Each structure stands twice: as structure tokens, then as C-alpha cells.
Amino acid sequence: MSIVSKSEKPIRVLIAEDQTMLRGALAALLDLERDIAVVAQAANGREALRLASEFAPDIVITDIEMPERSGLELASDLKSGNGKARVIILTTFARPGYLRRALDAGACGYLLKERPVSELAEAVRRVHAGLRVIDPTLAADAWNAGEDPLSDRERQILNRAGEGHSSAEIAAHLRLSEGTVRNYLSDAINKLGATNRIDAARIARSRGWL
Amino acid sequence: MSIVSKSEKPIRVLIAEDQTMLRGALAALLDLERDIAVVAQAANGREALRLASEFAPDIVITDIEMPERSGLELASDLKSGNGKARVIILTTFARPGYLRRALDAGACGYLLKERPVSELAEAVRRVHAGLRVIDPTLAADAWNAGEDPLSDRERQILNRAGEGHSSAEIAAHLRLSEGTVRNYLSDAINKLGATNRIDAARIARSRGWL
DNA sequence: GCGTTTTCATGACATTTGTCATGAGTAATG
DNA sequence: CATTACTCATGACAAATGTCATGAAAACGC
């Protein structure tokens, strides 16, 4: 089907993934493919951005949850940069909110770590050929799941609350009154149909809104 | 160094890991090693146990957090069974509590997914040769970290609290008075040096006690 | 510019959560 | 059998959390 012959120059790939063992294993396997060459590896988003401008890969495969800079932020950075790299998100999480944000950030692929390795190589080829590759399970979910109902402030506060910080601590950190913080949490709890702040944080996380 | 020549029969390995992509990648890479053969793969603890008795592997490499039956439970099962398989735990978590429980369950190796792939093959060889392989970072930590100070009830209640259940809900579910639940939580918070129930749950989890 | 909506803020009040003292029953340990 | 640790319970109080009514300020469409 593909117009480009496999004896042409290989597809240049960069892998960003914080878990060393998975990163190394995927790089080794992809590199065994005749038409793919792994030109660089990064353990976090910041490093990935630097290496992308240095090596000018065709495809960037990236995890979402990484230190320094997330895969979603990396995708945004690459879109607004001057490179030509297309981004494939590779993550554990089947969260509609993540997929939506990934597409907003210009990603061309969204693949789950639940899938067999073989699909990764195939996704690289498809995306390089100009197609989009979205995990079929999620493509359906993403729309009926609806928008994130939380405002920026609510998200920010809920996130801290979910980590065990008290209202007073959060208020001090954001220079708000304690009552205000409690109101935001109350709103968030209400919007999410939760029973308390912890429950709300759990729900929001499970949908990829935090 | 090794007395056993590499031209002998290969070391038979079973891999138990719920993330398909990682499992497949590791299996493929290990299988490339001349002296190692991956004879079976499992996506959860129960399946791993079944396959272990069917294929009689020399080494079982297993993740900890898996559905059905955890890697720690699997290690126990294998020890009390009649197989000869030695267990290597392969996990994301550098938690002293996990290491301790792994050793109690008879594991011969504890390796982190933070380490390069090459160490996994090497660990397989060492453990097969009768040695123990413990991640050096953890070996030190494990002892000064101390025992889990929580009682069974405290653990049970703290776990639910950490999921966002209210004292009243927990009390109803366990048929206790609400005050009692609050007392257990207060104890747990105190023992762990936390500031509230969420913080306590977070701390306990981070040490592998929940 | 004017209404409308959204976001952000405050204080008052009710409820839930955390602490402490106290005590009874039970199981395990030496 | 004395000691120790764990479990469960009360009640009283302090502190944190959740709810509600209310209003200021910015953003948007018309």
C-alpha cells in the first residue's frame, strides 16, 4: 500500500519514557525493524525536547506522566517549534481527558501500553505515512465522556487536596482565604458528584482531568 | 566464571506482568539471549501459577501489582508448591515494605524497572546460579526503614479512608461505631507522623504497607 | 454600552474529622 | 498467671471540612 519503499532511508524515531527498562526494551525492538531507526532516547520531557531539536526525528514516541515536563506538554512544545516531528502518545491510561488533550496538543497517535509491541511499530509506520492512529477503545469513549467541568482554579486546588494538603496549607500557598479554598473544593465535589475532596480527586484523576 | 557452559540447555523463564507491551518486549529481548528461553507468559498471578506448574520454569520473573493475584502472593504460592522455580520480583516500586515481604515470600531477586534491560538477563543468570540479586539502592533502605507499625484493623481502615470513604461509611461497612473508626485513623495518623487521613494513606502506600 | 455568563472571593453556619482520656474484653507471649 | 498488645467502645472538645447566600470583577455576545 505504502508508496515509499522499505529499502529507502529508515524512519527516524525518538523515544521519551521515564521507565528505563521499558524505554530500553522498546528501543531495542524497534531498532530491529528494517525500516525504523531509534536515533535518541529521553527519560523526561525536557530532555526529549532538547534531543528532538538536535536529532530532528520523524516520529516522537512519548509517555504522558514523566518528570520535568509531561508528554502532553512535550507535544505542545513540538507543535509550536519548527521541527517536523509527529507525536505518538504511549501511555498506560485509557482516560478520555488525556486523549482529548493529546489531540489538542497536536498528537497524531494515541496508543495504550496494554497493546502488543507489534502495534507500536505499525503505528510508527502509519503515522509517518500521514495517518492518525487512535486506540479504538478510546476513540468511542472520548466523546460521550464529556468535557472537564472544572475551572483552572478548581483543578489546581483539587490536585493539592488530593495529595493530603489541608485547606489552610493550600490557601497559604495560593494566597487565598481559607474559606475560598473550601468553596472551590465544595464546587468541585458537587460538579463531580463526589462525597468529599478525596473522592473528588480520585474521580477527576480517573478521567484524566488532573 | 560460571561453571555451566553457555552451550548447555537454556534457562527456562516464565514472565508474569500485566502490561502487555512491557511483557512482550522483555520476553522478546530475553529470548534473544543464547542461554535463556522464555517458555511462557502470564498477565496475572493466577495464570502465572497455572503456567508455572505446566511448564516447570527455572525462573519466574514477576511484577508485584497485578490483577487476580499479586506477585508477592505468587511467590508464596510457588514456595509452598512442589516446583523448583526461583522468583525474581520486577517492580516500579522502591518500597522497603515490598522488599521485605518479597524476601519473606521466598523471592531470590528484587529488581527495579528503573534499571537497564541488560541487568534483567544478568539477574536471571545469577539467580539461576543460586545467588540472590537485590537492588543495591533498596538493600540499604530496607533495614533502617523499620517494620510496618500498623495493625490489621488500622491498615484496613486507612486503606478505605485513602479511597475517599467517610468515617460513617467505613463504620457501616465494618460494623463498627463511627468513633472507633475515627480512633483507628487517629492512631494511624499519629504512628505515621501524618497530618490527616489522606496524608497517612499516602505515606503508608509509599512504604508498601497498604 | 448593556445584559449575561463565568470566574473568583468572602463570611456565617452545620457537619465531619481528629484528639484525648478512659475502660472492658480477647488473644498471644513469656 | 502476669504482661503485653490488639480490638472495640464512649463522651467531650477542638479543628478541619463542606454548604450556602451573596457580591465584585472580567469576558462575551449583541
Side-chain angles (χ1 to χ4, degrees):
Chain A
M1 281 293 122
S2 166
I3 303 171
V4 179
S5 151
K6 294 204 174 176
S7 59
E8 295 279 322
K9 286 181 194 167
I11 305 171
R12 297 162 55 79
V13 173
L14 181 152
I15 299 184
E17 159 67 52
D18 61 335
Q19 203 169 274
T20 308
M21 194 163 288
L22 179 60
R23 182 177 71 244
L26 292 180
L29 284 184
L30 282 180
D31 227 21
L32 289 178
E33 302 284 327
R34 238 187 300 277
D35 55 339
I36 296 177
V38 176
V39 296
Q41 297 183 35
N44 64 60
R46 191 202 303 280
E47 199 185 339
L49 190 59
R50 195 173 55 73
L51 292 174
S53 75
E54 184 177 342
F55 289 96
D58 300 309
I59 303 285
V60 172
I61 298 172
T62 179
D63 188 13
I64 290 186
E65 300 191 353
M66 288 188 296
E68 301 289 334
R69 204 136 180 76
S70 82
L72 295 174
E73 292 171 312
L74 173 60
S76 281
D77 293 345
L78 289 171
K79 186 169 74 163
S80 60
N82 48 12
K84 60 180 183 351
R86 290 170 199 247
V87 174
I88 296 175
I89 302 283
L90 177 65
T91 175
T92 310
F93 307 107
R95 296 176 183 169
Y98 275 180
L99 172 55
R100 193 180 289 251
R101 281 199 269 160
L103 295 179
D104 285 349
C108 301
Y110 193 101
L111 202 61
L112 297 180
K113 290 181 183 173
E114 283 314 302
R115 316 297 307 177
V117 209
S118 54
E119 289 189 19
L120 183 58
E122 201 45 46
V124 167
R125 291 188 189 101
R126 283 167 182 258
V127 168
H128 186 241
L131 300 171
R132 282 182 172 251
V133 178
I134 309 294
D135 186 280
T137 326
L138 271 94
D141 279 11
W143 291 112
N144 41 18
E147 291 282 342
D148 177 355
L150 302 174
S151 70
D152 288 344
R153 262 288 198 246
E154 286 164 352
R155 229 190 326 277
Q156 186 180 28
I157 289 175
L158 186 55
N159 201 12
R160 294 190 158 268
E163 287 166 354
H165 297 284
S166 68
S167 304
E169 286 171 336
I170 300 172
H173 188 263
L174 300 178
R175 288 148 199 264
L176 298 176
S177 88
E178 199 183 314
T180 302
V181 170
R182 296 208 305 274
N183 277 329
Y184 279 116
L185 285 170
S186 184
D187 279 356
I189 289 166
N190 193 36
K191 283 180 180 175
L192 299 174
T195 64
N196 58 48
R197 52 177 70 192
I198 317 172
D199 195 30
R202 200 183 46 70
I203 291 172
R205 274 193 238 281
S206 76
R207 307 212 180 139
W209 294 336
L210 288 189
Chain B
M1 281 291 121
S2 167
I3 302 172
V4 179
S5 151
K6 293 201 173 176
S7 58
E8 295 278 322
K9 286 181 193 166
I11 305 170
R12 297 163 56 77
V13 173
L14 181 152
I15 299 184
E17 157 68 52
D18 62 335
Q19 203 170 274
T20 308
M21 194 163 288
L22 180 60
R23 183 176 71 243
L26 292 180
L29 283 184
L30 283 180
D31 227 21
L32 289 178
E33 302 284 327
R34 237 187 301 275
D35 55 339
I36 297 177
V38 176
V39 297
Q41 297 183 35
N44 63 60
R46 191 201 304 278
E47 199 185 338
L49 189 59
R50 194 174 57 71
L51 293 173
S53 75
E54 184 177 342
F55 289 96
D58 300 309
I59 303 284
V60 172
I61 298 172
T62 179
D63 189 13
I64 290 185
E65 300 190 354
M66 287 188 298
E68 301 289 334
R69 204 138 181 74
S70 81
L72 295 173
E73 291 170 312
L74 173 60
S76 280
D77 293 346
L78 289 171
K79 186 169 77 163
S80 60
N82 48 12
K84 59 178 184 352
R86 291 171 198 244
V87 175
I88 297 175
I89 302 283
L90 177 64
T91 175
T92 310
F93 306 106
R95 296 177 182 169
Y98 275 180
L99 173 55
R100 192 181 287 252
R101 282 199 268 161
L103 294 179
D104 285 349
C108 299
Y110 194 101
L111 201 61
L112 297 180
K113 290 181 184 173
E114 282 314 301
R115 317 296 308 178
V117 210
S118 54
E119 288 189 19
L120 182 58
E122 201 45 46
V124 168
R125 293 188 188 101
R126 282 168 181 258
V127 168
H128 185 242
L131 299 171
R132 280 181 175 253
V133 178
I134 310 293
D135 186 280
T137 326
L138 270 96
D141 278 12
W143 293 112
N144 42 18
E147 292 282 344
D148 177 354
L150 302 174
S151 71
D152 287 345
R153 259 296 195 239
E154 286 164 352
R155 231 191 324 279
Q156 187 180 27
I157 290 176
L158 186 55
N159 202 14
R160 294 192 159 268
E163 286 166 355
H165 297 285
S166 69
S167 305
E169 286 171 336
I170 299 172
H173 188 263
L174 299 178
R175 292 155 196 261
L176 298 176
S177 87
E178 198 184 317
T180 302
V181 170
R182 294 211 305 273
N183 279 333
Y184 278 117
L185 284 170
S186 184
D187 278 356
I189 290 166
N190 192 37
K191 283 181 180 174
L192 299 174
T195 63
N196 58 48
R197 51 176 73 192
I198 318 172
D199 196 30
R202 200 183 46 72
I203 291 173
R205 275 193 238 280
S206 75
R207 307 214 179 136
W209 294 335
L210 288 188

